[in-house]
């Protein structure tokens, strides 16, 4: 008998079908012209079954496959034939990127996703491929400042598998782009890009506790506290405005002056009164927050002193008295009114003292 295996194709993409034809077969001395030979596909699983003279298969691996078939005539003679085909690699397809915050998908508008500065973003990348390649796909992530992917911010290591997850955040507001490159073990690649707009998170100035009243010239210390994202916290500008009614720097408003810079305020007032002070904080994007508190300054009474001229004095001679040792706050010392009372047993001015 004779047998020739043929097909219209010699190579196919992996996991697609090819039909091997064995109709070019027969036996010249057959006693049964309608069925001169029988066929055996040597264990190959054919879509048509094992007795038909066509065999359709779908290779699930890449590489060269050889199909062998045997035909037997009515005399028991056997002939075989082989057909080799090349099962070709298929590039990965259907790449997707999923972005979530706290397990909630980030909505997009015109292809752009708005995210807060400093907030962790969870990214999941997937792609489709053949069964032989799906578990060995290579995933590489990178973040850039431009959609073309040239201004690199960071690039991940290579992740192998059927999917990849990674977390990131941005400390600088503005446009950022995530790029995902997926490759199979033959170097076939597919990529995707996702756009993000990072929104600056304004700083927060913490409320200041009510301060107890202080006396004139008493030093008060107040520590202002401000919060921001990790990337902004070290660049915050904190200031105290000691007179919100006066625009001391002639910039902006009267209540945003930087009379004293820093978190710690160490200060005193020379005159009694109610003073409003403002603690304000500004980040590198110019966004700010402020809190105010009131300081009550109470009058500090003067401390009087009497100095008498030394020496022996004769009766009816003049004696000098001085109040030069009297003390008071700087704001009051020049406006003190001195009154002398040389008869403490009589209330001569009727003031009750």
């Amino acid at each position: 008998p004779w047998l020739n295996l043929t097909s219209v194709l010699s190579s196919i993409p992996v996991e697609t079908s090819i039909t091997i034809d064995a109709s070019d077969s027969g036996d010249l001395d057959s006693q049964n012209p309608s069925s001169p030979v029988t066929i055996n596909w040597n264990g190959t699983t054919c879509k048509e079954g094992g007795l038909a003279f066509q065999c359709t298969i779908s290779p699930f691996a890449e590489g060269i496959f050889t199909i062998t078939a045997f035909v037997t005539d009515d005399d028991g003679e056997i002939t075989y034939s082989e057909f080799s085909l090349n099962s070709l690699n298929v590039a990965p397809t259907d790449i997707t990127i999923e972005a979530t915050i706290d397990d909630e998908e980030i909505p997009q508008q015109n292809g752009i996703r708005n995210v807060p500065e400093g907030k962790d973003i969870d990214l999941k990348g997937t792609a489709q491929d053949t069964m032989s390649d799906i578990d060995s796909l290579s995933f590489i992530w990178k973040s850039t400042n431009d959609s073309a992917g040239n201004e690199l911010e960071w690039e991940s290591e290579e992740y192998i598998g059927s999917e990849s997850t990674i977390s990131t955040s941005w400390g600088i507001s503005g446009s950022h782009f995530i790029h995902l490159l997926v490759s199979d073990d033959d170097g076939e690649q597919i990529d995707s890009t996702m756009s993000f707009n990072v929104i600056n998170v304004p700083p927060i100035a913490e409320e200041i506790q009510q301060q107890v009243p202080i006396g004139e010239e008493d030093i008060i210390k107040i520590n202002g506290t401000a919060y921001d994202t990790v990337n902004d916290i070290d660049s915050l500008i904190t200031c105290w405005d000691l007179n919100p009614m006066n625009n001391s720097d002639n910039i902006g408003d009267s209540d945003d002056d930087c009379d004293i810079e820093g978190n710690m305020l160490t200060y005193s007032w020379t005159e009694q009164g109610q003073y409003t002070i403002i603690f304000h904080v500004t980040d590198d994007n110019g966004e700010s927050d402020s809190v105010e508190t009131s300081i009550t300054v109470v009058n500090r009474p003067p401390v009087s002193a009497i100095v008498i001229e030394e020496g022996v004095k004769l009766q009816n001679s003049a004696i000098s008295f001085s109040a030069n040792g009297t003390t008071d706050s700087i704001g009051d010392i020049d406006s003190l009114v001195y009154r002398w009372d040389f008869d403490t047993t009589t209330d001569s001015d009727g003031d009750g003292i």
Side-chain angles (χ1 to χ4, degrees), residues 160-288:
I160 302 297
S162 60
E163 63 181 39
S164 174
T165 57
I166 193 172
S167 294
T168 190
S169 64
W170 291 280
I172 300 176
S173 61
S175 296
H176 299 267
F177 300 86
I178 286 292
H179 308 266
L180 176 60
L181 177 66
V182 180
S183 310
D184 65 15
D185 54 6
D186 290 281
E188 296 283 354
Q189 298 178 341
I190 188 172
D191 62 80
S192 183
T193 299
M194 183 173 282
S195 302
F196 293 88
N197 177 41
V198 178
I199 301 172
N200 180 63
V201 176
I204 298 174
E206 186 178 75
E207 291 292 332
I208 299 173
Q209 293 183 350
Q210 184 63 44
Q211 305 296 305
V212 298
I214 59 173
E216 296 168 320
E217 296 184 357
D218 283 347
I219 295 176
I220 189 172
K221 292 185 177 183
I222 305 175
N223 186 31
T225 302
Y227 303 97
D228 206 341
T229 58
V230 174
N231 292 78
D232 282 355
I233 191 68
D234 292 334
S235 61
L236 291 179
I237 298 175
T238 53
C239 285
W240 296 89
D241 188 341
L242 302 180
N243 187 357
M245 301 303 294
N246 176 38
N247 192 356
S248 61
D249 59 6
N250 294 317
I251 300 174
D253 298 322
S254 63
D255 59 357
D256 62 0
D257 297 334
C258 193
D259 297 325
I260 295 179
E261 186 172 347
N263 289 49
M264 178 62 72
L265 171 67
T266 302
Y267 199 71
S268 64
W269 286 265
T270 60
E271 296 184 5
Q272 68 174 349
Q274 193 81 12
Y275 296 89
T276 297
I277 60 175
I278 293 178
F279 173 68
H280 56 87
V281 55
T282 306
D283 67 12
D284 56 0
N285 291 91
E287 296 206 52
S288 62

